[in-house]
Amino acid sequence: MINVSKVEDYFNVEGKVIAITGGAGVLCSEMAKSLGEAGGKIAIMDLSEKAMAMLSNELTEKGVEHITIETNVLQKNDLVRAKDEILKTFGKIDILINGAGGNKPEATTSKDKSFFELPEDAVQWVFNLNFLGTFLASQVFGEYFAEKGYGEIINISSMNAFRPLTNIPAYSAAKAAVSNFTQWLAVHMNHNYSKKIRVNAIAPGFLLTNQNRFLLTNEDGSLTQRGNQILNHTPMGRFGEPKDLISTVMWLISDSSEFVNGVVVPIDGGFAAYSGV
Ligand code: NAD
């Protein structure tokens, strides 16, 4: 139990070792910087060496203790190697954030590409990256948490897991699988290993980032019809920013949410709540 008389204890991540897959991406690099500045020790696992090098410079400038490890979340032995390297460097791991994920134009319907033509390999790619990547990393780090008796896993779902969005059937279904798996794993860990392991997810709303820029903006930067529709359907009237995710992630990984398990928290400016009428 946390001491409620000391509010600063609520969000304390000081000294916690936080491993982040896809950690050099737009959203997770923001998490890495904020959680690192709050005293967390950060392990970035990403495919892109270049993105990790850029992030590493920023983390060093901010005085954040960190390591970067080239890791493919679809290769289990890569994940095992990364876990061992983190343990060698920091001596423990407290939190896994499953951040690697995304969509691609080839798995997206458009006026030029019908549902009937979506190629199987593109659909498979989206499923693998979002679901299998989360599943495999949870196996590798979850086994360590089970041995240790505690740990937190944060998955990244999406608005389209609650209700599918038009054009992106593979990404919607893969994120629905991530939400479903979040609930499954939370229960499985508690029933079989420890009552002190928690598995939760965030479901970011519409943030303008690399993965969806082609859907939300035209080449001249103006909003597409879809971009306009989203803003009209977001009661708070704006796209989210990566920074909007931070306080919820800090809440979920800190002791302040110690009895919260198996939930998917929307961070969406009210999008999921609005029926459109
Ligand atoms: P991003 O593309 O900026 O970051 C993803 C990172 O994952 C990249 O650094 C990439 O190199 C890395 N990566 C890709 N394949 C990998 C693999 N096989 N192994 C390891 N790393 C790999 O994406 P983002 O916008 O920051 O999204 C992060 C997460 O949030 C994703 O799961 C995404 O689906 C989810 N999400 C994003 C939004 C949004 O609006 N951007 C909304 C909802 C959910």
Side-chain angles (χ1 to χ4, degrees):
M1 288 282 176
I2 56 170
N3 179 354
V4 289
S5 66
K6 288 178 76 188
V7 172
E8 67 268 25
D9 283 353
Y10 267 59
F11 292 98
N12 193 0
V13 295
E14 185 89 45
K16 292 200 179 184
V17 178
I18 304 166
I20 314 177
T21 73
V26 176
L27 302 189
C28 288
S29 61
E30 206 59 49
M31 291 178 204
K33 285 182 263 182
S34 299
L35 298 174
E37 284 185 297
K41 298 176 184 181
I42 308 294
I44 302 292
M45 297 173 280
D46 201 290
L47 261 190
S48 168
E49 263 188 289
K50 194 173 151 209
M52 283 198 293
M54 278 163 56
L55 175 59
S56 180
N57 287 340
E58 284 189 78
L59 291 173
T60 303
E61 267 171 36
K62 291 176 185 295
V64 173
E65 220 179 312
H66 70 280
I67 52 169
T68 60
I69 309 163
E70 196 183 338
T71 312
N72 183 349
V73 290
L74 300 178
Q75 300 288 334
K76 202 164 171 184
N77 48 5
D78 253 22
L79 288 160
V80 171
R81 181 181 46 77
K83 181 204 69 180
D84 291 345
E85 202 172 323
I86 300 167
L87 287 175
K88 206 165 120 200
T89 307
F90 294 127
K92 63 166 185 167
I93 303 162
D94 299 298
I95 294 144
L96 168 70
I97 299 178
N98 279 314
N103 187 31
K104 55 154 63 178
E106 293 80 356
T108 303
T109 65
S110 66
K111 60 180 182 331
D112 303 321
K113 187 158 16 85
S114 79
F115 163 65
F116 309 112
E117 294 167 295
L118 290 185
E120 190 180 326
D121 60 344
V123 174
Q124 188 74 61
W125 185 94
V126 173
F127 258 85
N128 283 351
L129 179 56
N130 291 281
F131 178 65
L132 195 60
T134 296
F135 190 96
L136 294 178
S138 300
Q139 283 186 311
V140 170
F141 287 79
E143 187 171 18
Y144 163 76
F145 292 155
E147 283 160 11
K148 196 170 58 123
Y150 70 89
E152 322 271 346
I153 298 178
I154 304 294
N155 295 329
I156 308 197
S157 184
S158 173
M159 275 305 99
N160 56 47
F162 299 106
R163 273 176 305 172
L165 301 175
T166 56
N167 299 338
I168 50 174
Y171 186 58
S172 295
K175 287 301 191 188
V178 169
S179 289
N180 184 284
F181 177 60
T182 300
Q183 295 176 310
W184 182 86
L185 190 62
V187 174
H188 184 77
M189 285 300 199
N190 288 171
H191 277 173
N192 294 283
Y193 301 107
S194 165
K195 308 291 184 211
K196 290 189 178 155
I197 297 174
R198 297 189 293 125
V199 185
N200 292 296
I202 56 169
F206 293 88
L207 290 83
L208 195 52
T209 56
N210 293 338
Q211 79 171 43
N212 60 19
R213 198 170 300 276
F214 72 99
L215 287 171
L216 303 185
T217 58
N218 299 308
E219 270 170 22
D220 64 4
S222 61
L223 286 180
T224 59
Q225 194 201 2
R226 187 182 182 87
N228 269 314
Q229 259 181 316
I230 288 166
L231 282 195
N232 289 337
H233 197 96
T234 303
M236 295 185 82
R238 65 170 174 88
F239 289 116
E241 291 173 24
K243 279 214 174 299
D244 289 319
L245 308 180
I246 305 301
S247 52
T248 304
V249 171
M250 285 185 88
W251 169 63
L252 284 174
I253 66 173
S254 65
D255 293 344
S256 54
S257 62
E258 63 185 349
F259 200 47
V260 176
N261 198 14
V263 303
V264 181
V265 183
I267 309 170
D268 66 345
F271 181 92
Y274 181 40
S275 70
V277 179

